[in-house]
Amino acid sequence: MNPIFDFFIDAYRHTPTHLIVLEAITFVFGIASVYYSKKLNILVYPTGLIATILTTYILYVAGYLGDMMMNFYYSIMSIYGWWNWARRKNDELVVKVTRTNFKEKIIGFAMFLVTMMVTYSVYKIYGYELETPNYIDIFTSGIFFTAMWYMATKKLENWTLWIFANIITVPLYAYRGLGILSLQYIIFTILAIQGYIAWKKHLNNETATV
């Protein structure tokens, strides 16, 4: 058989059918969420919420605690982001696309460090023997945590963080045998690049009209 086909199929030969179905549903809603985010469409949050809740369960079953924690956090942050993006004053959106200021950069970096420490502690508490993939998981968890907060507050830099962490995550999930999720993160990376370009253009147009 084709080696690429084998890569995507072999890991699922002994996987329960319901987990395969859940991963497929997660794939569809995850892609939809990033697409809507690129378009600055608030549907990013309901679609993303479905994807993150399902992914939290899938990763819990697989035993990847760092990624599981991040997706649980995504679920909480999706609710906040949904509310924040929906806020209006005088029929205008309150939260607009902006760049991070110095204070927000410091807060983001602090989030990155604290998230890595918390994720590391969770692995230790559950008695996991940490290997290279786990340390990569800890590192990307910190990046994703910050990216999600920046996205909820419509900061352009969220896309830079998504792109960087997605590129790292693609081979990580491939190594773990999660072929569908690895493919999903390839698509995420492409959409994130498009999202950065779209948001930057939107920001430039907003600045030009002020």
Side-chain angles (χ1 to χ4, degrees), residues 2 6-7 11 20 22 26 32 45-46 59 63 80 92 100 105 116 132 154 157-158 166 179 181 185 196:
N2 188 296
D6 288 342
F7 166 72
I20 297 175
L22 288 179
T26 300
Y45 289 110
L59 292 171
Y80 167 74
E92 288 190 12
T100 55
K105 285 182 171 64
M116 286 198 300
T132 300
K154 287 189 178 178
E157 288 82 357
N158 88 89
N166 286 342
L181 287 180
Y185 274 87
Y196 177 85

Side-chain angles (χ1 to χ4, degrees), residues 135-209:
Y135 285 108
I136 297 174
D137 176 28
I138 291 169
F139 177 68
T140 55
S141 293
I143 300 173
F144 283 137
F145 191 105
T146 307
M148 192 67 183
W149 180 63
Y150 280 164
M151 189 181 82
T153 52
K154 287 189 178 178
K155 300 301 176 182
L156 177 65
E157 288 82 357
N158 88 89
W159 292 113
T160 306
L161 296 181
W162 287 122
I163 292 166
F164 180 61
N166 286 342
I167 290 173
I168 296 174
T169 302
V170 169
L172 179 63
Y173 277 145
Y175 172 81
R176 288 170 168 174
L178 298 172
I180 294 178
L181 287 180
S182 180
L183 175 61
Q184 184 182 49
Y185 274 87
I186 292 175
I187 299 174
F188 280 171
T189 303
I190 296 170
L191 290 175
I193 294 171
Q194 294 175 347
Y196 177 85
I197 295 171
W199 278 36
K200 190 172 186 297
K201 181 178 180 181
H202 177 85
L203 180 59
N204 291 340
N205 290 338
E206 287 285 311
T207 303
T209 57

Side-chain angles (χ1 to χ4, degrees), residues 90-159:
N90 299 325
D91 291 329
E92 288 190 12
L93 293 173
V94 173
V95 182
K96 300 181 183 297
V97 176
T98 57
R99 292 182 180 273
T100 55
N101 56 35
F102 180 74
K103 180 182 178 180
E104 290 163 338
K105 285 182 171 64
I106 295 299
I107 294 174
F109 185 67
M111 285 182 167
F112 167 72
L113 294 178
V114 171
T115 302
M116 286 198 300
M117 289 188 289
V118 171
T119 307
Y120 176 83
S121 299
V122 169
Y123 273 118
K124 285 297 184 181
I125 290 172
Y126 279 86
Y128 276 75
E129 183 177 344
L130 295 177
E131 299 177 351
T132 300
N134 301 115
Y135 285 108
I136 297 174
D137 176 28
I138 291 169
F139 177 68
T140 55
S141 293
I143 300 173
F144 283 137
F145 191 105
T146 307
M148 192 67 183
W149 180 63
Y150 280 164
M151 189 181 82
T153 52
K154 287 189 178 178
K155 300 301 176 182
L156 177 65
E157 288 82 357
N158 88 89
W159 292 113

